[in-house]
Amino acid sequence: MLRRIYDWTMSLAGTRHADRALAGVSFIESSFFPIPPDVLLIPMVLARRGEWFRLALLCTIASVLGAFLGYAIGMFLFEAIGRPILAFYGKEDSFEQVAAWYNTWGGWGVLFAAITPFPYKVLTIFSGATGLNFLVFTIVSIIGRAARFFLVAFLLKLYGEPIRIFIEKYLGLLFTLFMLLLIGGFYLVKFAF
């Protein structure tokens, strides 16, 4: 089953809808979607290594624009939409205790979440709900998301074929590690604050 999904994702990179799919996933992942855009970015760069820069830029721009949606959800729709999303990630009860700390140190939190498997959307919503300075939020989002996506894309451009072979050889193990990182990120959200 994993092999079929992998092959399908790799074939998606050659379709005319691939860039829109990457942009769409990057956008919604920053505000509410649980699956990171790396699941599309990696096979797309592997399939089109000469376009690594453009794909990383597309992923970064869409992700930062999606972060603005997360910020808006937190700022304007926190009770109606933001709180249920935070509840899904187990963070609805910790909002008040985090708000004061977050307005001082939130930029570092956003930067951390933008680079790591930590669920970025939780901090985009917190940022809007607590009123984190929008300029700080924007700058750290751009730096963090660009660092993450450009590093991944650049390494795939440099070592694409060996990485592709490695991924195909150890697909099951890599999927398990990816899921552990994803679940670990959600676990960290639940118990970090």
Side-chain angles (χ1 to χ4, degrees):
M1 179 177 132
L2 284 178
R3 184 63 194 195
R4 282 193 307 242
I5 293 171
Y6 174 80
D7 290 340
W8 174 80
T9 306
M10 286 296 283
S11 70
L12 178 64
T15 69
R16 61 188 175 107
H17 303 293
D19 290 3
R20 283 189 290 253
L22 177 62
V25 168
S26 299
F27 181 85
I28 63 174
E29 182 270 339
S30 294
S31 50
F32 60 88
F33 192 63
I35 306 299
D38 305 73
V39 298
L40 283 177
L41 179 65
I42 291 169
M44 287 177 70
V45 173
L46 285 174
R48 304 183 314 196
R49 288 173 49 197
E51 297 182 39
W52 73 273
F53 187 89
R54 189 182 65 75
L55 293 170
L57 183 63
L58 173 66
C59 204
T60 300
I61 291 169
S63 183
V64 171
L65 291 174
F68 295 161
L69 174 61
Y71 190 96
I73 289 170
M75 180 172 268
F76 301 113
L77 303 170
F78 182 71
E79 290 303 320
I81 297 174
R83 196 170 291 277
I85 291 173
L86 294 177
F88 175 79
Y89 292 104
K91 298 311 312 166
E92 75 281 4
D93 294 333
S94 61
F95 176 75
E96 284 75 22
Q97 73 187 44
V98 172
W101 173 89
Y102 195 77
N103 281 324
T104 303
W105 301 103
W108 291 107
V110 172
L111 182 63
F112 171 78
I115 296 172
T116 67
F118 190 90
Y120 180 54
K121 75 244 356 102
V122 171
L123 294 189
T124 66
I125 294 169
F126 268 153
S127 295
T130 63
L132 179 67
N133 180 290
F134 189 72
L135 181 60
V136 169
F137 174 78
T138 301
I139 291 169
V140 296
S141 291
I142 291 169
I143 292 169
R145 294 270 100 169
R148 175 178 172 170
F149 299 134
F150 276 91
L151 178 64
V152 167
F154 180 70
L155 290 174
L156 290 168
K157 180 233 184 247
L158 283 182
Y159 307 107
E161 189 59 24
I163 290 175
R164 185 189 62 74
I165 292 168
F166 179 81
I167 288 172
E168 289 177 359
K169 184 175 181 180
Y170 297 105
L171 187 60
L173 176 64
L174 291 172
F175 177 76
T176 301
L177 289 173
F178 171 76
M179 292 307 292
L180 288 173
L181 283 173
L182 185 65
I183 292 166
F186 288 118
Y187 182 79
L188 188 57
V189 166
K190 188 170 182 85
F191 296 104
F193 297 108

